[in-house]
Amino acid sequence: MQSEKPRRYYLEIRKQGGTYSGLIRTSFRVNGKVTHTNHGMLTRMTLEDLKVIQAALRGDAVIKASSEAVTTTQSKEFGASYALLELAKELGLDRMIYSRPYEPWVKDALALIAGRVVYAGSKLRLSCLAKDSALWELSGIEGEVDVDTHCYEPMDRLLTRQKAIQKALAKKHITNGQLVLYDITSSYFEGAYEESDIVLFGYNRDGKKGHEQMVIGLICNEEGCPIGVEVFPGNTQDATTVPEKIGEIQKTYGITELIFVGDRGMITSANYKKVQGAPGLSTVSALTHPQIVTLLEKKVIQPELFDEKEIVEVIDPDNPSLRYCLCKNERVAAKEAKTRGALLQRATKALDKIVHAKRKSTPERIAARAGKIIQKTRMGKFIDWEVKEGRLSYTIKDEKKSLEELLDGCYIVKSDAPPDRLDKQELVASYKKLSLVEQAFRNLKTVKLEIRPVYHKKDHRIRCHVFICMLAYYLQGHMTKRLKPLFASDKKGKKREWSFERVIERLKSIRRQVVSTAGVPWKTITAPEEDQRKVLRLLKVKL
């Protein structure tokens, strides 16, 4: 396939009645075929002036007067904003937001979503980019952007449409009988949120102690495409959100038959009893470590059944509809053994210092020191210890340690889905797809989309901020999917060139400029280079 030839700018002079006008165009070849692009019209000029401009674009004229020189008076980022907005419209996101996508608030909302991918940051920062980016201009706003009018008011309208938008996403991306992935995470706050009912202390999944937080639940289809998001108070426990989410998917989204996939601890025994027997519902989850030990003690399973190459399926004798798929990962087993060995060594070394200490201390202080070591290393289940007559003594629980070693790298996927819907290989694969939701959380919470820091203080704005980030990830996901050939053909190691961030930067360097020729301004887009044209072709975006 031949590549595009360099663009050539020229002026086509036209006469209508007694007046003249000039059409600014570019022409270039694609696979041998000449293609034209129109950039603007020059009017209210004499024929002589138009001919001077025409000659200047051909490179035939030398303009001597400074007032007639060709100058660039304005330059804005164009390519990334344009590509994201065009992709959003092609995916129908504008019509999902509202049936009349031409309304100003809908265009503003699209600018907030696309701007999240291109720029991230606060809404105030985004509103201040009107002089540097064509994002707002492409959304129909000329001149100054007001953060209240063009950001906060559209956010309030967008939040009222959240359920309808998520219902439309579910209708488009989920069909009856498919997997539905669900997981939750937390995101911490800094600062005072005294009037918030969302920002509360709770279990932080990122280990950020001492910070209030919110809890975020995300629903994705089996390919990891986000369908719905909800913000819960920061003290919400994982399992409490599950029955409500299953009901929402079946009733609100109209997915009457589904296989609900949740992480360990999501589908607890109590939750399973609540949803068991619901028409059209099957569940996939995994057992916690204590649950695996319980099955071993009841002799439902044996340690030798876990195998890295072969998935062993066992039926629950107390509930024949439940299937257990026993799996093992040797790489994880080696990592767990190494970690436990290091922690146990650290604990015994610290305890030995107390045992052999020459300095006398009270039993209370000795117990406090030993308890602190056990708590810090989390080795209490492997160590028995006591303080007797002012001396510390401890022993290693070898039997407990041996059992733990047998279970290194072992995990059990459980499901009530019948074998004709999911065989054992499909069952394990469906549980592993939860990594797609974890990937979504990484994108939402890191520098790509920056769900935090959250600059909003009102709960409804916090909810909408999270919703905007989810819709931005929806765009990013579809963009990444179209760019797979680019990433697949990329070089390795230090010669690697492409990443999603790199794509955005290359598109941002396509700029919209205002050029003045003989004192007459006109707008033009810088001609894309070969790699930029390749990106645009893969995204199916035409400038």
Side-chain angles (χ1 to χ4, degrees):
M1 180 180 288
Q2 299 179 24
S3 61
E4 295 179 2
K5 301 297 182 182
R7 294 176 179 240
R8 179 177 66 85
Y9 286 88
Y10 64 94
L11 185 71
E12 183 179 296
I13 298 176
R14 297 180 175 183
K15 181 179 181 182
Q16 186 174 6
T19 61
Y20 292 89
S21 62
L23 178 63
I24 301 169
R25 313 184 77 188
T26 57
S27 64
F28 52 96
R29 290 180 179 273
V30 180
N31 300 327
K33 183 179 178 180
V34 178
T35 302
H36 302 280
T37 301
N38 298 336
H39 296 282
M41 183 75 75
L42 299 180
T43 58
R44 298 179 184 179
M45 297 184 67
T46 65
L47 177 60
E48 181 180 0
D49 288 339
L50 289 171
K51 286 183 176 180
V52 169
I53 296 172
Q54 185 183 58
L57 291 175
R58 286 200 307 261
D60 295 340
V62 177
I63 302 175
K64 296 181 180 179
S66 60
S67 62
E68 296 178 341
V70 178
T71 58
T72 301
T73 57
Q74 189 186 85
S75 181
K76 293 184 178 183
E77 178 276 317
F78 179 86
S81 296
Y82 180 82
L84 264 297
L85 289 172
E86 288 298 299
L87 179 61
K89 293 171 186 175
E90 185 189 336
L91 294 171
L93 185 56
D94 56 342
R95 294 191 176 277
M96 292 184 201
I97 292 174
Y98 199 55
S99 58
R100 297 191 289 273
Y102 48 81
E103 289 201 2
W105 80 267
V106 179
K107 293 182 178 180
D108 291 340
L110 282 178
L112 291 172
I113 296 165
R116 198 80 208 162
V117 181
V118 181
Y119 296 106
S122 69
K123 310 300 182 296
L124 180 60
R125 174 179 178 266
L126 191 65
S127 69
C128 294
L129 287 174
K131 292 182 179 180
D132 305 300
S133 170
L135 173 67
W136 293 106
E137 188 178 322
L138 288 167
S139 301
I141 301 170
E142 297 285 348
E144 185 177 350
V145 176
D146 180 73
V147 68
D148 291 315
T149 304
H150 300 113
C151 295
Y152 296 145
E153 290 177 13
M155 284 179 69
D156 296 341
R157 293 286 299 272
L158 183 64
L159 187 62
T160 64
R161 295 282 301 160
Q162 181 174 358
K163 287 186 177 179
I165 295 168
Q166 293 183 167
K167 188 175 180 179
L169 288 171
K171 184 178 180 180
K172 183 174 182 179
H173 296 288
I174 302 179
T175 58
N176 268 332
Q178 278 192 333
L179 298 177
V180 175
L181 313 176
Y182 178 69
D183 203 354
I184 73 172
T185 189
S186 56
S187 183
Y188 69 95
F189 289 78
E190 295 175 295
Y193 289 82
E194 297 175 356
E195 298 180 4
S196 174
D197 294 325
I198 291 174
V199 185
L200 299 171
F201 285 105
Y203 170 67
N204 190 283
R205 287 117 187 119
D206 299 324
K208 294 290 184 181
K209 296 180 180 179
H211 291 277
E212 292 180 298
Q213 64 177 25
M214 62 180 167
V215 172
I216 302 168
L218 184 65
I219 301 172
C220 296
N221 73 356
E222 60 185 18
E223 295 178 347
C225 176
I227 301 301
V229 71
E230 184 172 355
V231 178
F232 301 99
N235 59 357
T236 303
Q237 295 181 350
D238 298 19
T240 59
T241 67
V242 171
E244 179 188 342
K245 283 296 120 184
I246 292 175
E248 179 183 329
I249 294 166
Q250 289 193 306
K251 296 175 184 177
T252 306
Y253 299 157
I255 311 299
T256 55
E257 295 184 10
L258 74 145
I259 302 173
F260 185 86
V261 186
D263 202 358
R264 292 179 177 88
M266 284 278 190
I267 306 176
T268 60
S269 299
N271 275 339
Y272 185 69
K273 289 178 181 178
K274 290 179 182 178
V275 301
Q276 186 181 16
L281 173 67
S282 297
T283 61
V284 176
S285 188
L287 297 184
T288 62
H289 187 79
Q291 289 172 328
I292 295 176
V293 173
T294 300
L295 289 182
L296 284 169
E297 292 172 348
K298 292 169 64 176
K299 300 189 183 304
V300 176
I301 61 173
Q302 294 80 41
E304 57 268 19
L305 293 178
F306 290 94
D307 186 84
E308 184 178 22
K309 297 181 180 179
E310 181 66 26
I311 299 171
V312 177
E313 185 176 309
V314 176
I315 304 299
D316 190 325
D318 299 326
N319 186 354
S321 64
L322 270 180
R323 302 154 58 200
Y324 299 126
C325 291
L326 281 60
C327 312
K328 186 168 186 175
N329 187 317
E330 291 293 350
R331 182 177 58 83
V332 174
K335 183 179 179 182
E336 289 178 348
K338 183 179 179 181
T339 301
R340 182 178 56 253
L343 289 172
L344 193 58
Q345 184 180 18
R346 186 189 304 173
T348 56
K349 186 177 181 180
L351 292 174
D352 284 341
K353 287 184 179 180
I354 301 176
V355 171
H356 300 296
K358 295 180 180 179
R359 196 173 187 180
K360 291 184 178 181
S361 184
T362 64
E364 291 78 12
R365 287 186 178 181
I366 294 172
R369 288 177 62 191
K372 188 176 181 180
I373 293 167
I374 296 297
Q375 184 181 19
K376 190 173 183 180
T377 58
R378 293 175 294 177
M379 290 290 105
K381 59 183 175 180
F382 303 122
I383 300 175
D384 268 333
W385 63 278
E386 65 175 347
V387 179
K388 192 174 182 180
E389 296 179 358
R391 306 298 298 180
L392 172 69
S393 62
Y394 72 90
T395 57
I396 304 297
K397 301 177 185 178
D398 291 325
E399 186 177 343
K400 184 74 174 178
K401 182 169 170 287
S402 298
L403 177 60
E404 198 77 9
E405 289 171 348
L406 287 174
L407 294 179
D408 282 343
C410 297
Y411 61 99
I412 298 178
V413 177
K414 70 171 182 177
S415 177
D416 57 2
D420 59 347
R421 293 188 71 183
L422 288 177
D423 61 31
K424 60 184 182 180
Q425 282 81 14
E426 292 170 331
L427 196 59
V428 174
S430 66
Y431 180 75
K432 290 182 178 180
K433 285 190 175 183
L434 280 175
S435 62
L436 297 174
V437 189
E438 294 172 3
Q439 177 182 318
F441 283 141
R442 283 195 298 273
N443 279 272
L444 289 168
K445 294 168 70 173
T446 56
V447 293
K448 288 185 180 179
L449 297 174
E450 291 183 359
I451 208 167
R452 65 162 308 278
V454 180
Y455 298 97
H456 308 287
K457 298 292 183 179
K458 298 179 180 179
D459 281 353
H460 70 284
R461 294 269 169 82
I462 294 173
R463 294 182 191 279
C464 190
H465 167 71
V466 173
F467 184 46
I468 287 172
C469 289
M470 188 211 84
L471 293 176
Y473 181 70
Y474 176 78
L475 283 185
Q476 180 183 314
H478 282 277
M479 193 172 177
T480 302
K481 189 175 181 180
R482 295 188 180 189
L483 292 171
K484 275 187 177 179
L486 181 73
F487 299 137
S489 62
D490 199 8
K491 297 176 182 178
K492 305 296 181 183
K494 65 180 182 180
K495 294 185 178 180
R496 179 171 173 262
E497 181 181 2
W498 291 107
S499 63
F500 185 82
E501 294 83 354
R502 172 67 174 164
V503 168
I504 293 296
E505 290 303 315
R506 288 301 292 140
L507 290 177
K508 284 168 75 172
S509 66
I510 299 174
R511 306 187 68 80
R512 196 231 61 195
Q513 298 176 324
V514 175
V515 178
S516 294
T517 306
V520 179
W522 50 282
K523 294 179 180 179
T524 183
I525 309 300
T526 56
E529 298 176 29
E530 176 58 33
D531 61 341
Q532 294 167 326
R533 290 197 294 269
K534 183 177 181 179
V535 169
L536 292 170
R537 283 196 298 269
L538 290 172
L539 294 177
K540 301 176 184 177
V541 172
K542 294 182 180 179
L543 291 181

